[in-house]
Amino acid sequence: MDFSSSTTSTSAASHPLAPHGWDEGWQAAFSPYAERGLVPGRVVRVDRGRCDVVTAAGTVRADTEYVVPRDPMKIVCTGDWAALDADGDPRYVRALLPRRTAFVRSTSSKRSEGQVLAANIDHVVVCVSLAVDVDLARIERFLALAWESGAQPLVVLTKGDLVPDPVGQAHLVHDVETTAPGVPVLPVSAVTGDGLDVLAASLADGTSVLLGQSGAGKSTLANALLGEDAMDVQATRDVDGKGRHTTTTRNLLVLPTGGVLIDTPGLRGVGLWDAGGGVGQVFAEIEELAARCRFQDCAHDREPGCAVLAAVDAGDLPVRRLESYRKLLRENQRIVAKTDARLRAEIRREWKRRGAEGRAAMEAKRGRWS
């Protein structure tokens, strides 16, 4: 069957791209592009203005010249579904289908821009190495972005073989569970295989992205789930458990047990990007307490009748949690303020442009009248 011209007539379940996440929703969204003779594909890797796209006929190299937007949030990303030429050399991506979900962080630049790390994901797997002390605040930061993405977060404690004592490991799991309300926490070991079957079953439905610091064991975990050495692995330093960036690009891979996996480079920083809702979900117990405060605009600082401070005084809420909550809220507010300022500046520039065009038109009319 020629899938380049019969996308709409082929059931989504039997489509060659079904293992990569193709479903009835994507098929319906692609229908207008099929009528134009374009073919669907999923971006599996992006590199310097070109990308690898898996299609019904196999993986092809495509140019992104026609989908280079001014908005960095709309740049082609691993996980995107694309409409591209049926043939030709080079092949071109002509359009991207609207994203269902996206994991976004703020860039390290001073321009207040967001960066999409993975698109159309169902699970965000936050990888945390047990080779070093667990940084609960960093986990909270990852989870805020994960919840905001629209996907379901999952915390995986990697290198579980380095904590062989079951009691000690259970304490670590409990600490992370307390930090991540409503999020599954799973200790695994790529060396012994412990927990891998449970993790594979959790990821069998949909697209998952592995996120974490360099040295968190993401590539090793990806290889264990794939059953092959698809990703390069480098040793971490014994001193701090950190490693060099093994993965340098984001890659999309089909898991043998079902589902799709996106491996990503290690992240040195994960700045928030308009993640107010995500912060609220990570600190759900504080949000619930805040609803009982005497004042609706309570800052949980020194206000009388503050239910949050009362919980801290009673020992029901750790001070560390409240401080982390405040820090992430402040950071998110700064990002939102910067973004709004940028939008206001863009609007002002547009007004000035239109004003200049209007004045030029009036002057042209006066010239004709004189």
Side-chain angles (χ1 to χ4, degrees), residues 6-27:
S6 58
T7 301
T8 55
S9 63
T10 306
S11 69
S14 61
H15 196 279
L17 289 174
H20 288 84
W22 184 261
D23 58 26
E24 292 181 359
W26 293 120
Q27 184 158 293

Side-chain angles (χ1 to χ4, degrees), residues 143-145 147-148 273-283 287 329 332:
L143 290 178
L145 293 172
W147 280 121
E148 195 68 31
W273 177 260
D274 198 6
V279 172
Q281 285 184 273
V282 174
F283 298 92
E287 296 269 302
L329 276 183
N332 192 66

Side-chain angles (χ1 to χ4, degrees), residues 78-129:
T78 301
D80 272 324
W81 284 98
L84 63 158
D85 297 330
D87 51 33
D89 186 20
R91 303 277 285 274
Y92 286 95
V93 174
R94 297 291 176 172
L96 298 178
L97 273 61
R99 293 165 177 159
R100 293 178 181 174
T101 59
F103 187 96
V104 184
R105 68 165 178 176
S106 65
T107 64
S108 57
S109 70
K110 298 180 180 179
R111 294 183 295 177
S112 303
E113 293 179 346
Q115 178 189 22
V116 180
L117 297 184
N120 300 313
I121 49 176
D122 301 287
H123 311 283
V124 174
V125 183
V126 180
C127 298
V128 180
S129 172

Side-chain angles (χ1 to χ4, degrees), residues 61 112 120 158 185-186 200 219 261 277 288 341 344 350 365 369:
R61 190 75 166 156
S112 303
N120 300 313
T158 64
V185 179
L186 179 64
S219 294
L261 187 69
E288 183 178 346
R344 287 195 297 271
E350 180 66 12
K365 287 183 179 179
W369 294 337

Side-chain angles (χ1 to χ4, degrees), residues 159 212-219 232-237 240-248 264-268:
K159 307 181 183 182
Q213 287 183 287
S214 181
K218 297 185 303 300
S219 294
D232 292 333
V233 177
Q234 295 176 346
T236 58
R237 298 193 296 257
D240 54 12
K242 295 181 180 179
R244 289 172 290 176
H245 294 302
T246 301
T247 304
T248 56
T264 64
L267 300 175
R268 291 188 178 90

Side-chain angles (χ1 to χ4, degrees), residues 144-192:
L145 293 172
W147 280 121
E148 195 68 31
S149 74
Q152 171 65 46
L154 167 65
V155 177
V156 172
L157 303 179
T158 64
K159 307 181 183 182
D161 52 287
L162 299 181
V163 186
D165 176 26
V167 176
Q169 189 175 107
H171 280 304
L172 289 171
V173 171
H174 175 72
D175 288 344
V176 177
E177 286 176 337
T178 303
T179 300
V183 177
V185 179
L186 179 64
V188 303
S189 170
V191 175
T192 65

